Every structure is written in structure tokens, then in C-alpha cells.
Amino acid sequence: MRHNTVSAVINLVEPWENLEPLTLDRPVGTLPFGGRYRLIDFPLSSITNAGIQNVMIVSPRSGRSVADHLRSGNDWNLDTIRGGLFNFPYNDLSLIAPQKKETLVHHYYDNTILFLKRSNSEFTVIMGTRNVCNIDLKALLRYHRERDNPVTTVYKSIDANEACPNTSVLQLTDNGMATAVLPAASKNVSPNENGKYAKSLNIYLLSTIDLIDILKEANERGDLVSLEDLMLQAVIQHSANAFEYTGFYANIHDIESYYNANMSVLKEDNFRSLLYTQRRIYTKVKNEIPTFFAKSSHVKGSLCGTGGYIEGQIDHSVIFRNVFINRNSEIKDSVIMQGTRIGAGTKIENTIIDKNVVIGPNLQLKGTPEKPLVIGKGQRIFQQEEVAND
Amino acid sequence: MNENDEMLAIILAGGQGSRLGKLTKSTAKPAIPFGGRYRIIDFTLSNCANSGINTVGVITQYQPLELNAHIGNGSSWGLDDQTGGVTVLQPFSSTEGEKFFEGTAHAIYQNIEYIDQQNPKYLLVLSGDHIYKMDYRAMLEYHKAKKASLTVGVIPVTPEEAKRFGMMNTDETDRIIEFEEKPEHPKSNKASMGIYIFNWETLRNYLTTSFSTNKELEDFGKNVIPMYLANNESAYAYSFEGYWRDVGTIQSLWQANMEFLSPYNSLNIGDHNWRINSKAQVLPPMYLTATSNINNSMVVDSCYVAGEVDHSILSQRVSVGAGSRVVDSMIMPGATIGKNVVVDHALIGEEAVIGDDAVVKGTEDDIAVVGYGEVLGVKKS
């Protein structure tokens, strides 16, 4: 019988409320990031770079944007005759109707258990998407095998002042074991002597048999607990090995952190360590034409996707595919997503503009680094008043 | 082939392209990069896919590795469906000897088994080295309406240009009455585009009869068309009026790239109803540093620009160091241009490395060329 070492579960059921309006019709996992990616590309690329071929995608809602992005999984080398991508939509318990919920009691994890059994894997890695990183899962597996605890989890060492009260951090013992994952505000965790927190990256590796047992027990109890909460419980119950990740990292939990994460990829060291390592980041392939920079354009310190037509000035911004920027416009410290058009003479600063937006000529859109202005998907804005009311 | 399909396309991609000098030293002409993110053959392959032709044979011979890797299973053009697909046809040995080929018609003859397997009614013969967008369905309709045995795609040229082409002289019904190769005094303005639709059964008969009796029938232009005319086969010229460029020389390749840069180019590359697809690599977005200055230029994924780029095309993974100036040039994938370099009127080959302070300067009539992987002016430390 075929033997797979590791299977993977990408859990897209993640807190999205603080990222509205960007998350009104997509999970956190399909938020555009870094000029051409979606957040899910990072865990998915880590998974395929480690040779993992069985991947389950747990979507909160219909998973339309997820399926549209992933399709057959071919762009991540997951469209082979072995294994592949398995999509499971409608898993956000807070969105499930009460009658439907009743039928799920004792059955909520049936699909996951079936996937895990059929994957025929020895280990399973569970990852979210809101922590952007480029992790070597093979190294994580080696680390896990060398240690005794049934679960291994991953952290990034961050300065205490980078943590918000809600930032989830590992409670570490003196010999480096994790005994709980808690909010930084909890009195049971404190920064270490160097003033650092062990920020949880929400990645868990454990044996598939153990995971199936955990899920079966949850089914038997019938208490409808999310997969992420089950993992938190497992860490408390068994203690976990804590693997330190040292590469580029960004946590995305609200508009400001999403904005800052995009701005931080504009630093050359950061985008090189995230995007130019041996572990490539894959994403949906599009056949866009080259981006044209007109004579009047001036672009500096920016990342740009293909298919664009640029006449204006762009400074320190992330510009996605297929963006049209008309003459005499000025874009500064902003994120402009796929298919958006900016009118002539419009000035934009500290702003996030979602996909397929049209901004008319001679307008001013201005946020602040702490509170970026956000223009939701598909909006048409032609009057200054429409900006103010937004 | 799907049973509803009548026409098989064969792309002739085996020529050496010796007029491209250094650029085709290690790769076939159809695999030469074009327009920042394409290779020349992408235009023909995309035209096939967009014309609803699902079965395409690509005949290769000279330096085929890069071309084969590029074509793969044809999925980049949507040509990997269950009943059709792209087949790369390389010379092979058999009991009759080795099936290398000498000319365009000979290439078809050597692959007669493949074509018979597909059993097409019509055979569309294409070149893999032209930049154009064309709906071959319209040409097939014309071929059928004229009840032709052969239809040749033609494009209007000036009398001056005609001296470089095979010219079709036609009667008032567009029936071809005479073929002249590179005439000094052209009688018409209809230049052959190297695009032919044949009734396969007829062509097959001519090819098998001629080669079995040792008659030379190596080339479509030199041998087949004259034989068709001599035998009074109904051969018609199909006029195409859109953008079409033969990019067989350094000069014409550079020229077509410069035309491609214009937002008003009639090729209309941005038309989503007739997309030109290519094998897309997954690469990070382009990064333009605080010192970059890009004007009238095209840039694609994974480029790194710290210098000045004016009226030029940068392909994937090209980097241009600070203080460098790239003007009126086309830089092929993976080329690295150091600091304070001048590149002017040049074609820079894939993975070439141009060291700091180097100058690569051509003129409009004499384009400078740096070959694939060539290393220029890198100081030894």
C-alpha cells in the first residue's frame, strides 16, 4: 500500500471581522498580498515544497473565492494522480443555522476523519493563513521526530512591543516546551528575559492517528468545537514541542496589520527572504501582458504585478496585476489590488483599494498609517463626497 | 483528433534560423523570447487554440530542448484536451533510415505516419516564427468556399519588400496563376506568409508519389506550389490584412519588439478576446527601487530595476543595476545588467551577464547582440 509521510489541513476558518470590508466576501486566506499572492499561497507553497501531496482545505463559507483561486491545484503541483486538493466548504460554526447544527452534532469532523484515513499518512500538519511565513516543513518534521511530545507547534520570537493584547503567544517551559497558547494579555505569559514573546504561528504537527483520535473524541462529545480550539486544547493536554521559525513573518488580524504587512514586503530584505528562497512561493498563474510604463510615469520603491498600464507617480506602494494608473496621479504608501483603475490627477495616500475599483479623476484619498483608508471591492467613486462618506 | 475536427495544424519549428546569429546558437528560432513574456511560437500556438484547432503537431529538429520544455503538454495554451493536444514531432530512426528532413515539404513527408493517425481532411501548415494574430477558421471557410486544393495565406507588401518574399500572382478570382520566389520585378503585392491549407489526401498523393520516384519535393515554396500550378490544382491566395511580422533576422526581431512597445501597435496584445498565452512561470512581482526610472517600457514579473529604462522591454528575472541606462533594447529572461552599464539598440540573450561599467551599443541599422549566457565585461576579482 502507498505510504505518505505527511498530509496537510489548511484551516481557513479564521477571525475575519476586524478585516472588513476586505473580508466581506472572502475568507482571510484569499486576501490578496504582496502584489500577486493570496495569503493561502504561503502555507500551500510550504506544503508542496515539503513534498506533501494530500491537502484538505477547510473553508468557512461556500469557498467560491478559494475554489476560484486554487482550481485543480495544478499551480501548486497538486494536480497529480496521487493525492491532491480536497475542498470542504461551510465549516464556520457561527454561520451554520441551528437546525443544520443539530445534524452536525457527533458528525462535524466526519469529513476530516475520512480525509485523514484515506490520506494514509503518518503525520498531519494543520496550518492557518493569517501568519505569513515561508516555513520549511521538512525541518519541522525532523524536529518533531527527534522529540517526545505528541504535538509540535511553531513560534516566531517577537518584541514585546509588537504584540497586541490579543496576540496569541506560547507559554514556554524552561526547557522550551509549550504548555499553552494564550493571548499576550494573559497573566500566565510574560516576555522572556530578552523582552521577547513566542508568537504562535498557528501551525501544528502531530501523528495522524492521534489527530483522528482527537477528532473522534470531539465528535463523541458532540460539542462542536473548531479545529483551532481543539489544537489549543491538545497543547494544554499534552504539552507541545516548540519549533522556532526565524524567517520573514507578518501577522494579519486587522486592517492596520494587513496594511503594515504589505508595506513591510516593500523592504528589499523582506521580500527577498519571503519570495526568493529555495522554497518558492506558488500562486495561480495568469497570462497577463507585460506592464507598460508610459513616459510620464515615475515609480519607485514599489512592487508591481503584470498587465498594468502606468502613467502616474507611484511611491512605496504595492500594485497588483492589471491596474491602470492615469496621468498626473500620485499614489503613495498604498495597496492597490487587481483590476483597479485610478483617474488622472487623483492623489492617494495610506489607502487600501480592493479589486476592480474605479476611482475618478482629481480626487483625494487619504488615510493614515495607523488607520488606512479602505475602499471596498468593485466600488465606483467619482465625487470627493463619496470618499468622505466611506 | 476529435471526430468533429476537420483540420490538423502542423507547425514547422525545426529550422536553424541562422540569420539570427548568436541568438539561435543554442536554441531553435521559435523558442526565442519576444515581447517580455512570450516566445515567438506562442503566437502561432495561441492562434491555433483561439481558432478552435485542438490538434497540433510541432515539427522540431534543430536544438529542440528549450522549445520542447516550453511546449510541454500544451496546457499553457489549453491544448491538452482529451481528444487532441500538442505532439512534438522529432526526427527518429526507422527501418527506412533516419527521418531528419531537408525542407518544409520533406518535414511533412517524414511525419506522414503521425498525420495519417490523425486522419485530417485538411492540413494547416504554419511557421513557428511569425508574430501575428489570425483566425485560421476564416481561412478554412475561404478554402472550402473556393473548393480549393491549396490555399496560401498572403499579405500585401511594397515592391521593395517583395524582393525578400515568395510572391503569388493571381487572377481576378484570387486563383494563383504564378509563383515567383524573391522577384526583382514583382507583378503583385501578395507575399506568401508561409501559411498553407491543403486537402490532405491530394498533398499526400503528391508527396508519396514524388518521394517514391526520387523526385525532389522538399520545399513548399520551391517545389510543391510550382508542382500544384503545373498540374492545374486549384490554388488560391487568402489575403490577410492584420499585423504580421517575420522575425527571422536580428534587425526584424528588434524592430518587431520595438513596435510591440507601442500602446497603439495594431497587434493589440491586450485584447482579451484573442489572448496570446505562454508558459507562465510563477515568479514574484517586479520590484522598482527608489532610484529606478522607467519610461515607455514594458516590464514583467521578477524584474529588479534600480537604473534607467527607456523605450525597452525587460523579460522575466532581468535586473538592471543602479546608474545603468537601457535604451531601445530588448532584454531576454534572466539577463543581469550590472551598475553604470549602457545598453543601447541591443538584443541581450537569456541569462547573459553584463558587468559594471560595460557599454553595449548598437545603432538602428546595426543592432548589438549579446548571446545566451554570454558574460561581458565582468572584472575578475
Side-chain angles (χ1 to χ4, degrees), chain B residues 240-288:
Chain B
F240 176 76
E241 307 223 311
Y243 183 92
W244 180 85
R245 292 290 182 274
D246 181 333
V247 287
T249 63
I250 294 288
Q251 191 67 31
S252 61
L253 178 62
W254 176 82
Q255 187 68 42
N257 271 293
M258 293 301 109
E259 288 168 2
F260 190 79
L261 263 177
S262 165
Y264 310 107
N265 185 3
S266 58
L267 185 63
N268 193 9
I269 189 70
D271 180 5
H272 277 208
N273 295 317
W274 201 272
R275 276 179 187 257
I276 301 301
N277 290 327
S278 186
K279 184 187 164 97
Q281 295 168 283
V282 184
L283 295 166
M286 65 190 84
Y287 185 72
L288 315 175

XYZ file of all heavy atoms in Angstrom, chain B residues 240-288:
410
model
N -4.592 38.344 -45.990
C -4.650 38.689 -44.569
C -4.169 40.126 -44.450
O -3.173 40.505 -45.064
C -3.740 37.744 -43.780
C -3.645 38.078 -42.316
C -4.683 37.772 -41.449
C -2.510 38.698 -41.797
C -4.597 38.074 -40.103
C -2.420 39.000 -40.446
C -3.465 38.684 -39.599
N -4.888 40.929 -43.662
C -4.535 42.355 -43.651
C -4.080 42.866 -42.294
O -3.776 44.029 -42.157
C -5.722 43.171 -44.155
C -6.192 42.647 -45.510
C -6.509 43.717 -46.507
O -7.226 44.635 -46.126
O -6.029 43.604 -47.657
N -4.035 42.016 -41.306
C -3.646 42.480 -39.968
C -2.138 42.615 -39.818
O -1.374 42.560 -40.787
N -1.733 42.785 -38.569
C -0.318 42.906 -38.246
C 0.363 41.553 -38.424
O -0.099 40.536 -37.893
C -0.180 43.374 -36.803
C 1.235 43.620 -36.350
C 1.807 44.882 -36.455
C 2.004 42.584 -35.807
C 3.109 45.110 -36.041
C 3.308 42.805 -35.386
C 3.851 44.076 -35.509
O 5.136 44.288 -35.098
N 1.451 41.514 -39.142
C 2.195 40.266 -39.360
C 3.658 40.600 -39.547
O 3.998 41.483 -40.337
C 1.657 39.555 -40.596
C 2.353 38.259 -40.920
C 2.084 37.031 -40.407
C 3.426 38.062 -41.868
N 2.922 36.086 -40.959
C 3.749 36.690 -41.852
C 4.143 38.913 -42.716
C 4.757 36.139 -42.654
C 5.150 38.365 -43.509
C 5.446 36.989 -43.481
N 4.514 39.983 -38.803
C 5.945 40.233 -38.943
C 6.711 38.922 -38.973
O 6.501 38.044 -38.133
C 6.494 41.072 -37.772
C 5.997 42.502 -37.731
C 6.572 43.355 -38.854
N 6.120 44.726 -38.761
C 4.979 45.199 -39.276
N 4.173 44.391 -39.939
N 4.643 46.460 -39.133
N 7.600 38.815 -39.942
C 8.561 37.731 -39.978
C 9.752 38.204 -39.152
O 10.303 39.272 -39.428
C 8.967 37.481 -41.442
C 9.957 36.341 -41.572
O 10.694 36.088 -40.598
O 10.009 35.718 -42.640
N 10.102 37.465 -38.100
C 11.186 37.933 -37.240
C 12.426 37.052 -37.391
O 13.054 36.659 -36.423
C 10.750 38.020 -35.763
C 9.811 39.199 -35.561
C 10.075 36.729 -35.311
N 12.758 36.803 -38.650
C 13.854 35.876 -38.930
C 15.238 36.485 -38.897
O 16.229 35.768 -39.024
N 15.335 37.804 -38.755
C 16.667 38.419 -38.708
C 16.788 39.244 -37.428
O 15.793 39.601 -36.810
C 16.897 39.372 -39.901
O 15.947 40.447 -39.798
C 16.709 38.671 -41.229
N 18.031 39.536 -37.053
C 18.287 40.364 -35.870
C 17.530 41.686 -35.993
O 16.853 42.125 -35.070
C 19.811 40.648 -35.753
C 20.566 39.354 -35.467
C 20.087 41.715 -34.705
C 20.389 38.792 -34.105
N 17.649 42.289 -37.181
C 17.034 43.587 -37.401
C 15.502 43.518 -37.249
O 14.900 44.339 -36.564
C 17.419 44.070 -38.819
C 17.086 45.495 -39.096
C 17.928 46.436 -38.247
O 19.067 46.104 -37.910
N 17.385 47.581 -37.889
N 14.893 42.503 -37.876
C 13.431 42.425 -37.842
C 12.927 42.010 -36.461
O 11.856 42.420 -36.024
C 12.907 41.468 -38.918
O 13.392 40.161 -38.703
N 13.723 41.207 -35.758
C 13.346 40.812 -34.398
C 13.357 42.031 -33.472
O 12.434 42.247 -32.681
C 14.315 39.738 -33.877
C 14.076 39.246 -32.450
C 12.710 38.582 -32.318
C 15.163 38.268 -32.016
N 14.391 42.836 -33.609
C 14.485 44.065 -32.800
C 13.341 45.019 -33.158
O 12.648 45.527 -32.280
C 15.843 44.729 -33.044
C 16.002 46.042 -32.338
C 16.355 46.238 -31.046
C 15.769 47.345 -32.900
N 16.372 47.575 -30.750
C 16.016 48.280 -31.868
C 15.387 47.803 -34.162
C 15.891 49.656 -32.067
C 15.264 49.171 -34.356
C 15.514 50.093 -33.311
N 13.124 45.176 -34.462
C 12.087 46.089 -34.943
C 10.704 45.689 -34.411
O 9.949 46.524 -33.910
C 12.088 46.080 -36.484
C 11.164 47.105 -37.108
C 11.655 48.521 -36.871
O 12.858 48.777 -36.973
N 10.755 49.427 -36.533
N 10.405 44.381 -34.497
C 9.086 43.916 -34.049
C 8.933 44.112 -32.534
O 7.842 44.433 -32.045
C 8.883 42.444 -34.418
N 10.005 43.932 -31.790
C 9.953 44.197 -30.344
C 9.686 45.673 -30.070
O 8.909 46.019 -29.175
C 11.249 43.761 -29.667
C 11.217 42.306 -29.214
O 10.462 41.948 -28.321
N 12.010 41.477 -29.864
N 10.327 46.542 -30.826
C 10.113 47.981 -30.612
C 8.678 48.365 -30.971
O 8.051 49.180 -30.301
C 11.119 48.794 -31.451
C 12.567 48.647 -31.010
S 12.879 49.152 -29.284
C 13.178 47.585 -28.495
N 8.132 47.751 -32.027
C 6.734 48.010 -32.391
C 5.795 47.508 -31.294
O 4.778 48.120 -30.993
C 6.392 47.319 -33.717
C 7.028 47.984 -34.925
C 6.930 47.137 -36.188
O 6.336 46.044 -36.145
O 7.471 47.564 -37.212
N 6.179 46.381 -30.698
C 5.370 45.771 -29.638
C 5.220 46.718 -28.451
O 4.222 46.691 -27.732
C 6.050 44.474 -29.206
C 5.223 43.600 -28.298
C 4.215 42.802 -28.821
C 5.465 43.552 -26.937
C 3.460 41.984 -27.996
C 4.715 42.735 -26.099
C 3.714 41.953 -26.640
N 6.223 47.568 -28.253
C 6.218 48.508 -27.135
C 5.142 49.580 -27.258
O 4.705 50.146 -26.256
C 7.569 49.231 -27.091
C 8.633 48.721 -26.146
C 9.886 49.538 -26.324
C 8.163 48.771 -24.707
N 4.749 49.859 -28.469
C 3.801 50.958 -28.650
C 2.409 50.564 -28.166
O 1.891 49.515 -28.552
C 3.724 51.353 -30.123
O 2.579 52.159 -30.312
N 1.785 51.395 -27.341
C 0.410 51.086 -26.913
C -0.565 51.079 -28.092
O -1.671 50.581 -27.972
C 0.075 52.237 -25.951
C 1.360 52.873 -25.597
C 2.300 52.622 -26.738
N -0.136 51.633 -29.212
C -1.025 51.717 -30.384
C -0.709 50.646 -31.421
O -1.224 50.669 -32.531
C -0.939 53.111 -31.010
C -1.119 54.182 -29.970
C -0.036 54.956 -29.544
C -2.363 54.387 -29.362
C -0.199 55.919 -28.554
C -2.531 55.338 -28.374
C -1.447 56.111 -27.974
O -1.605 57.037 -26.994
N 0.157 49.695 -31.075
C 0.506 48.635 -32.014
C -0.754 47.876 -32.442
O -1.548 47.450 -31.604
C 1.489 47.682 -31.318
C 2.009 46.597 -32.243
O 1.685 46.577 -33.421
N 2.816 45.716 -31.707
N -0.940 47.700 -33.757
C -2.167 47.064 -34.233
C -2.233 45.578 -33.896
O -3.250 44.935 -34.105
C -2.341 47.287 -35.736
O -1.216 46.780 -36.413
N -1.163 45.023 -33.353
C -1.220 43.639 -32.871
C -2.211 43.528 -31.715
O -2.811 42.479 -31.499
C 0.169 43.182 -32.425
C 0.326 41.731 -31.992
C 0.043 40.785 -33.148
C 1.711 41.472 -31.433
N -2.394 44.607 -30.973
C -3.364 44.670 -29.876
C -3.214 43.500 -28.900
O -4.124 42.697 -28.720
C -4.787 44.722 -30.464
C -5.811 45.118 -29.404
O -5.445 45.511 -28.287
N -7.083 45.006 -29.737
N -2.070 43.444 -28.271
C -1.744 42.310 -27.401
C -2.684 42.220 -26.204
O -2.902 41.143 -25.659
C -0.259 42.395 -26.953
C 0.181 41.116 -26.233
C 0.014 43.616 -26.065
C 0.307 39.925 -27.114
N -3.290 43.349 -25.809
C -4.159 43.339 -24.626
C -5.575 42.838 -24.889
O -6.375 42.778 -23.976
N -5.891 42.471 -26.137
C -7.246 42.044 -26.478
C -7.581 40.716 -25.798
O -7.009 39.681 -26.127
C -7.347 41.899 -28.002
C -8.736 41.459 -28.440
O -9.634 41.364 -27.572
O -8.919 41.219 -29.644
N -8.518 40.765 -24.853
C -8.838 39.552 -24.100
C -9.629 38.542 -24.923
O -9.816 37.417 -24.499
C -9.597 39.914 -22.822
C -8.669 40.324 -21.731
N -8.948 40.164 -20.403
C -7.426 40.877 -21.793
C -7.920 40.602 -19.688
N -7.004 41.049 -20.502
N -10.130 38.954 -26.089
C -10.860 38.004 -26.934
C -9.929 37.184 -27.814
O -10.359 36.257 -28.483
C -11.879 38.732 -27.800
C -12.947 39.367 -26.949
O -13.424 38.744 -25.999
N -13.292 40.605 -27.250
N -8.678 37.576 -27.863
C -7.716 36.794 -28.647
C -6.391 36.839 -27.889
O -5.449 37.513 -28.266
C -7.563 37.356 -30.072
C -7.002 36.330 -31.005
C -5.679 36.079 -31.255
C -7.736 35.415 -31.829
N -5.551 35.056 -32.152
C -6.801 34.623 -32.527
C -9.096 35.162 -32.018
C -7.185 33.620 -33.414
C -9.470 34.167 -32.910
C -8.525 33.407 -33.600
N -6.393 36.132 -26.771
C -5.221 36.178 -25.907
C -4.052 35.421 -26.505
O -4.233 34.371 -27.110
C -5.540 35.514 -24.570
C -6.217 36.416 -23.576
C -6.489 35.592 -22.336
N -7.271 36.332 -21.384
C -6.745 36.890 -20.294
N -5.473 36.778 -20.017
N -7.514 37.553 -19.469
N -2.880 35.972 -26.315
C -1.678 35.218 -26.624
C -1.178 34.644 -25.304
O -0.871 35.382 -24.365
C -0.601 36.117 -27.271
C -1.147 36.750 -28.563
C 0.660 35.312 -27.565
C -1.604 35.775 -29.631
N -1.162 33.338 -25.217
C -0.733 32.688 -23.984
C 0.700 32.207 -24.106
O 1.234 32.056 -25.200
C -1.647 31.515 -23.657
C -3.013 31.995 -23.229
O -3.142 33.048 -22.604
N -4.033 31.242 -23.577
N 1.295 31.960 -22.967
C 2.660 31.467 -22.952
C 2.802 30.559 -21.760
O 1.929 30.523 -20.896
C 3.630 32.646 -22.848
O 4.955 32.187 -22.964
N 3.877 29.812 -21.710
C 4.107 29.023 -20.499
C 4.480 30.009 -19.406
O 5.539 30.636 -19.456
C 5.237 28.035 -20.728
C 5.471 27.106 -19.545
C 6.720 26.270 -19.795
C 7.228 25.635 -18.534
N 6.789 24.267 -18.356
N 3.590 30.169 -18.447
C 3.813 31.182 -17.428
C 4.575 30.581 -16.260
O 4.217 29.536 -15.744
C 2.475 31.744 -16.958
N 5.636 31.237 -15.888
C 6.366 30.807 -14.707
C 5.776 31.537 -13.515
O 5.345 32.670 -13.642
C 7.827 31.199 -14.824
C 8.572 30.510 -15.931
C 9.906 31.192 -16.142
O 9.984 32.259 -16.741
N 10.953 30.584 -15.630
N 5.799 30.896 -12.379
C 5.355 31.590 -11.174
C 6.550 32.319 -10.583
O 7.486 31.700 -10.111
C 4.791 30.611 -10.145
C 4.252 31.376 -8.955
C 3.704 29.784 -10.773
N 6.507 33.620 -10.665
C 7.624 34.423 -10.184
C 7.074 35.563 -9.328
O 5.941 35.983 -9.492
C 8.379 35.017 -11.379
C 9.076 34.012 -12.304
C 9.490 34.677 -13.597
C 10.267 33.391 -11.614
N 7.900 36.074 -8.433
C 7.464 37.214 -7.626
C 7.201 38.441 -8.500
O 7.645 38.491 -9.647
C 8.664 37.468 -6.702
C 9.426 36.184 -6.686
C 9.231 35.593 -8.042
N 6.475 39.435 -7.967
C 6.238 40.644 -8.750
C 7.532 41.405 -9.016
O 8.543 41.153 -8.372
C 5.303 41.473 -7.875
C 5.276 40.836 -6.545
C 5.832 39.470 -6.656
N 7.468 42.332 -9.972
C 8.656 43.156 -10.259
C 8.899 44.123 -9.101
O 7.951 44.539 -8.428
C 8.456 43.917 -11.560
C 7.332 44.935 -11.508
S 6.914 45.631 -13.127
C 5.790 44.412 -13.792
N 10.169 44.496 -8.892
C 10.490 45.455 -7.847
C 11.258 46.619 -8.467
O 12.261 46.420 -9.146
C 11.334 44.795 -6.751
C 11.591 45.730 -5.587
C 10.569 46.068 -4.706
C 12.854 46.275 -5.376
C 10.791 46.924 -3.648
C 13.086 47.141 -4.308
C 12.053 47.464 -3.451
O 12.273 48.316 -2.402
N 10.745 47.813 -8.244
C 11.380 49.005 -8.791
C 11.904 49.808 -7.608
O 11.132 50.218 -6.741
C 10.355 49.811 -9.593
C 9.491 48.948 -10.536
C 8.424 49.781 -11.206
C 10.335 48.260 -11.589
